[in-house]
Each structure stands twice: as structure tokens, then as C-alpha cells.
Amino acid sequence: MSSSLRAQSGGISVARLEVVAELATLINTTFDLDEIFRTAILKLPRVLTVRRASVALVTEDRTQYAIHTLYDRERGGFVTERGRFPIAAGLTGQAIVSGHAVRVDDFEGRPDLKGANEGLISVIAIPLRMEGRVIGALTLGAPGGEVFDQEDFELTRIIGRHVETALYYSQLLATISYQRDELADAHDAIKVEHRRLEALIDATDSAVAMVQKGRVVFANHAFARLTSMAREDLVGSTMDSVYEKLAPMLKDNSAIAAEREALAGTRPLRDRVELVVPQRATFQRTVAPLLDNRGVVLGHTVMYRDVTLEADAGAAKDEFVSVVSHELRTPLTSIKTSLSLLARGAAGPVPEAMGELLDIGLRNLDRLIRMVEDLLDLAKIERGTEDAAAQALNAETVTQCALQTVNGLAVARRIRIVHHGDASSIDVVADGDRLEQVLVNVLSNAIKFSPEKGTVALRWRLTDGWAECVVSDDGPGIPDDQLERIFDKFRQIGSASTRQHEGAGLGLAISRRLVEAFGGKIWAESEPGRGARFIVRLRLAS
């Protein structure tokens, strides 16, 4: 310590406390490292005789340290030539590598930095830490003839702690600024993507709305036109107010109940609805849940797509198929009768080769007749002229009839049918012949798609006040995107499957329409490669 400072020893402690307090205040008011380091170094002469002072920071690869701020009284103050040094170079490097404060009173020093006639010098080097790791050092050098004492050493350590705090706050601010910029960029990207998505949805002809907690949070112009509401009034409105607009337009108001149920759950809805106001139109309606990565429902997408032309074309095609099928049934029956008579020898003895050909013809004729009957059944169901009468039926009785019907097919394909439990205590509401047809269709489908020597299982169960018949197989399963489509007309899974298995793809379509006519539901569940399950849900007879 210099003699002038020693003479003022009575005021040193107060001055040092003032310097420490000023540094603490500075750190709390600015995060600019340059300003903090320079101000701290400039305050040192008030309490220490300092010829040279520096703050060094370790490089990212920790092989060097760089001088961040350098003060040299003999060179006029702060020096811009900072430089880099090997991590262990000098007393600064020793403090960084060892992690301990260093105080040397007889340091030789670098010749290019020593003042005129300056010999050995006194140096203090304090390691600077952040989160337990040394990231730099504060180094002070006394002028020639001066020696730092223990009190100077402790003060320098206190100042070092303040520099560490400044570094921590600076890094924290940099992290916050970086995260803020990242969030801002991400927010801007989301806004751009949101606008792009809105533009794409607006460009489509389909009416699309996003619904959250019963309110419309987004709707395109087509949805506004469909509901006859202004778009600005539509967004934010409840679905109840939307249904008030839609109800008078619908041919069947029960379509609204189905949509409400879909919006309240996670099962998608895909059906067709007819509008009669302002003009007749048919819409393909889709209600699908929006789920996060945990499966939590975020909202629902509601879409109405105008398929009037498709529906009209489909109706014309169905009518044509119905007429053709009806016209084919009589001649096909006549041909079968004639072939059967020939096979029984009505026209004379039948050679063995001819008998085989007649058997092949009769089998294929039976397939053709069944297809025609299916087409006629489907046409009657879709026109609403099916005369099936729903009544209370015993589930076990109908099940046994269906099992007897498919037994021959199961034996031919070497499939084992397992009937779990006894459903004699379960009575359901359905038409007996038509329910048997549904069970035969589902069982036949399971048998056809099961591997040889496979197993098809059937069981009845009671679930939430409904009776459910579950038919499962150990076949290849059904892809997720096909679970609904397999109930469409003429639909089977993939072209290869269509070639391998007999049938026109009408059985499940007929089954769904019949079950819905009974007031029930039918659907499929599957894990590809692990078989499929078909569930037929029916009302319980009171």
C-alpha cells in the first residue's frame, strides 16, 4: 500500500465499503460488461494503488484466455490491444487453471509491460467462477516499490465476487434475450403458417370450422355462406347458435344430434346430410377431433363438402344396378333350374366330365345369384322399402342359426369357430332374418380373412345398457385408414385381397345399413397384423 494511502488509514475501511457498495449498485443498474469492468477498475485507485488491472475470460474451447478489459496507468489508461494467451500462461493462467487466488510480491513481469526502472512487482490474480466453473480471472499489478498486503488481497477477492455477479447477470440477460428472440421468431413463423393455413382453407370449396369448447374459433367463407352468417359474427359464436341457423335447412334434424355427440367425444363422424333450403343439396360431413401428442382433445374440425353431383350420380347408378339386378334375377333362376335338371339326368345320362362342368357352372351361378340378391337388398334398404320388422329376439337363438349357416364355409377353409358364453339371457331389438344375415356376413368375412387352421371367436356382452356381439379373428388385420371404408359398397381391403377372396364387397355395407335400421351401430377395430374385431351393438329389449 502506498504511503499516502497508509497515512489515511483511518478512512480506508469507509472508502472501501463505499467502493463495494457502488459496485453493487452498478451491477444492479446495468448489464453492460464493458461498462461494469471499466467502472470497477477506475474505482480501484480510490482504495488501492494499481498500476495495471485486467479482466480475462476463458475461450469456449478452454485452451486460451483472452483479455476482455485492460487498464495500464503508464500507457494512459485503458488499452485496446487485448490479446490471447495459453490457458496456463502467467499468474492469470495459474489462477484460472488452479482455481485458487494467487498473490505474489516479487513477480518478474513481462519486459514489454514494465515501466521504466521498474523491478519486481506485486501481483494479485483472483479466479472468476460461474456455476462452480472458472471462466476467467481479475488480475491487479502494483506499481514498482508498492506491495499488496492481506487487506488488499481480501478486498480484491470481494471485488472479484462482484465481477462474477456481473458476469452471471450478463449471461442470464444474454440467455433471456436469446430465448426472447427465439420465441419471437417462432411466433412470427407460427403467424405466417397460420395465415398460410387460413388462405388454404379459404381457397377450398368445403365449409370448414374449428370448434373449441362448443365455440367456433375459426370458420372460412364457405362455412359462413353455409350457415347464412357473417364471418365476423360466426367466429366466437356458440355451436348452438350455428345449429339454430342450420336446423331449418336440414332434411332431417336428427343430423344435429349426431354432430353434437361427435363434438362431445373423440370418435370421428363421417356421414352425409341433405339440405332442402335454400336449395336441395347433399353434403359429406366430417367431424374429427384435434389431439395433442398426449391424446388430449384440443378441439374439433367440422367440414361440410358439397357432394350433390356425386350423390345424384350415385343414385342414378344405384337405380340402374337395381333395375339390372331385378331383370337378371328371373333368367338366372331359370338357368339354375335348367342346369340342376341337366345335372340330375333329366335329359339323359350325364358323363362324369360333363357333371364336373355342370357343378362348376352351378357354383358360379349361385355366387352370381347371391350377388344379385345382395344388390337388390341394398337397393331396398337405401330406398327405405325394406319391410324388416324390429322386435324382441333372443340373441342366442339367432346366433345358433348364423353359426349353422357358416359352418360349411368354416369347415371348407379349416377354420375353428369358438362361441364364448351363452347369450340365452340376452334379448335384443331387431328383425330375426335380417340380424341372422348380419351375423352371417360378419362371420363369413372373419372366416375368409383368417389363415388356414385359424380361429374365429364370437361372444355377446352387455355394455352401458347395450348388447354387443363381438366377432374376432386372427387374420392380417385392417389398416387404420380402412376401418370405416370397409363398410362402403364394393369395398374390400386392397386389390390383392379383392382377388384372393370371393365376394363383391357388399356384405358389410348391407350389415351396417341393417344394424342402423335397428337403431344400433356396427364398427371395426384392429391392430394390423393382429387380427380384427367387429362389434355389432343393438338395443336391449325391455
Side-chain angles (χ1 to χ4, degrees):
M1 186 184 300
S2 69
S3 57
S4 59
L5 287 176
R6 290 180 188 278
Q8 304 171 30
S9 59
I12 289 178
S13 296
V14 174
R16 291 186 173 188
L17 288 174
E18 289 177 351
V19 167
V20 170
E22 289 170 8
L23 286 176
T25 302
L26 176 66
I27 291 169
N28 288 324
T29 56
T30 181
F31 297 111
D32 186 329
L33 284 180
D34 280 331
E35 180 181 352
I36 292 172
F37 292 164
R38 287 172 175 264
T39 303
I41 289 172
L42 288 175
K43 290 180 181 295
L44 289 175
R46 289 166 48 188
V47 291
L48 291 173
T49 303
V50 178
R51 185 264 185 184
R52 195 167 186 267
S54 67
V55 176
L57 299 177
V58 177
T59 58
E60 287 188 11
D61 60 7
R62 300 192 68 81
T63 61
Q64 297 178 307
Y65 63 84
I67 303 301
H68 183 282
T69 304
L70 174 61
Y71 171 84
D72 193 328
R73 189 180 67 184
E74 299 299 324
R75 298 168 69 181
F78 290 100
V79 181
T80 56
E81 50 181 87
R82 299 178 179 179
R84 292 190 174 209
F85 304 91
I87 190 69
L91 293 181
T92 297
Q94 182 180 334
I96 292 173
V97 172
S98 69
H100 299 292
V102 178
R103 175 185 158 201
V104 178
D105 294 333
D106 54 353
F107 184 59
E108 179 68 28
R110 286 170 50 188
D112 57 324
L113 297 178
K114 295 171 64 173
N117 302 319
E118 190 174 38
L120 301 178
I121 59 174
S122 181
V123 177
I124 296 175
I126 306 295
L128 303 175
R129 289 181 172 80
M130 185 179 295
E131 298 178 350
R133 190 181 192 190
V134 176
I135 61 166
L138 170 64
T139 305
L140 305 181
E146 296 287 339
V147 176
F148 291 124
D149 59 20
Q150 186 62 31
E151 189 177 348
D152 298 332
F153 183 61
E154 293 301 328
L155 176 61
T156 306
R157 293 178 68 152
I158 293 172
I159 294 172
R161 299 296 174 269
H162 284 287
V163 172
E164 289 177 347
T165 302
L167 287 167
Y168 174 78
Y169 284 166
S170 177
Q171 185 188 57
L172 185 62
L173 177 64
T175 301
I176 293 172
S177 298
Y178 175 77
Q179 292 177 343
R180 179 197 61 203
D181 294 342
E182 287 271 294
L183 287 173
D185 292 343
H187 181 67
D188 291 341
I190 291 172
K191 287 172 64 176
V192 170
E193 192 63 31
H194 181 73
R195 287 193 292 268
R196 183 183 294 118
L197 182 60
E198 281 191 354
L200 286 172
I201 295 176
D202 270 333
T204 183
D205 293 332
S206 300
V208 181
M210 305 291 182
V211 180
Q212 283 184 337
K213 297 180 179 178
R215 288 188 177 275
V216 179
V217 296
F218 171 81
N220 65 355
H221 291 292
F223 201 90
R225 289 194 299 271
L226 175 68
T227 56
S228 301
M229 297 175 69
R231 191 177 182 186
E232 53 270 22
D233 296 332
L234 182 57
V235 176
S237 63
T238 65
M239 287 302 292
D240 288 337
S241 61
V242 173
Y243 293 144
E244 288 178 5
K245 295 286 187 179
L246 273 179
M249 306 179 190
L250 293 170
K251 180 180 179 180
D252 183 4
N253 284 344
S254 65
I256 290 178
E259 187 168 316
R260 286 184 190 274
E261 182 181 352
L263 289 175
T266 58
R267 186 179 292 276
L269 170 67
R270 184 173 178 267
D271 62 0
R272 286 190 174 185
V273 294
E274 291 187 56
L275 269 63
V276 292
V277 176
Q279 60 187 15
R280 187 189 69 81
T282 303
F283 285 85
Q284 176 74 48
R285 176 175 63 178
T286 303
V287 180
L290 299 172
L291 307 176
D292 66 10
N293 55 6
R294 298 169 298 169
V296 177
V297 178
L298 302 177
H300 290 78
T301 301
V302 179
M303 182 172 70
Y304 285 78
R305 183 170 66 88
D306 192 339
V307 292
T308 304
L309 294 178
E310 298 173 30
D312 290 345
K317 180 196 70 177
D318 292 342
E319 183 64 23
F320 171 76
V321 171
S322 176
V323 171
V324 170
S325 301
H326 191 273
E327 293 299 321
L328 281 174
R329 182 162 58 174
T330 300
L332 286 175
T333 304
S334 177
I335 293 171
K336 180 180 179 181
T337 301
S338 299
L339 289 179
S340 297
L341 290 171
L342 286 174
R344 290 198 297 267
V350 180
E352 183 178 350
M354 183 183 292
E356 292 178 358
L357 291 174
L358 287 172
D359 286 341
I360 293 172
L362 284 169
R363 285 198 303 271
N364 283 283
L365 194 57
D366 283 335
R367 286 182 57 203
L368 188 57
I369 291 173
R370 284 197 301 271
M371 188 183 302
V372 169
E373 294 292 343
D374 284 346
L375 286 169
L376 291 173
D377 282 346
L378 194 57
K380 286 193 293 184
I381 294 169
E382 291 181 336
R383 284 199 304 266
T385 57
E386 169 61 35
D387 57 0
Q391 57 185 336
L393 297 170
N394 182 259
E396 183 66 21
T397 301
V398 179
T399 300
Q400 290 299 330
C401 293
L403 289 173
Q404 291 175 9
T405 302
V406 300
N407 184 63
L409 178 62
V411 171
R413 294 179 178 270
R414 304 176 70 181
I415 301 297
R416 186 169 67 100
I417 300 179
V418 179
H419 180 199
H420 295 290
D422 184 358
S424 56
S425 62
I426 299 176
D427 291 332
V428 297
V429 178
D431 177 88
D433 292 338
R434 289 308 193 183
L435 178 56
E436 180 182 344
Q437 181 180 358
V438 169
L439 296 182
V440 167
N441 284 341
V442 174
L443 285 166
S444 299
N445 187 78
I447 292 170
K448 286 192 296 182
F449 286 91
S450 290
E452 187 175 341
K453 297 183 180 179
T455 300
V456 171
L458 180 148
R459 63 187 175 94
W460 284 87
R461 67 189 183 191
L462 298 178
T463 305
D464 297 330
W466 295 82
E468 292 182 348
C469 179
V470 182
V471 176
S472 57
D473 62 59
D474 50 11
I478 305 170
D480 287 344
D481 62 346
Q482 298 287 326
L483 288 173
E484 278 297 310
R485 295 180 184 177
I486 57 174
F487 292 98
D488 294 342
K489 291 178 288 186
F490 310 106
R491 174 76 68 172
Q492 287 191 2
I493 303 172
S495 58
S497 296
T498 303
R499 288 193 296 271
Q500 292 171 4
H501 302 285
E502 298 177 357
L506 292 171
L508 291 179
I510 292 172
S511 298
R512 168 160 280 186
R513 286 158 177 78
L514 287 173
V515 171
E516 289 176 349
F518 303 151
K521 293 176 67 175
I522 179 173
W523 70 92
E525 299 174 350
S526 179
E527 296 178 27
R530 302 183 63 179
R533 294 174 301 282
F534 284 82
I535 297 94
V536 179
R537 173 179 285 183
L538 297 170
R539 290 180 294 157
L540 284 168
S542 57

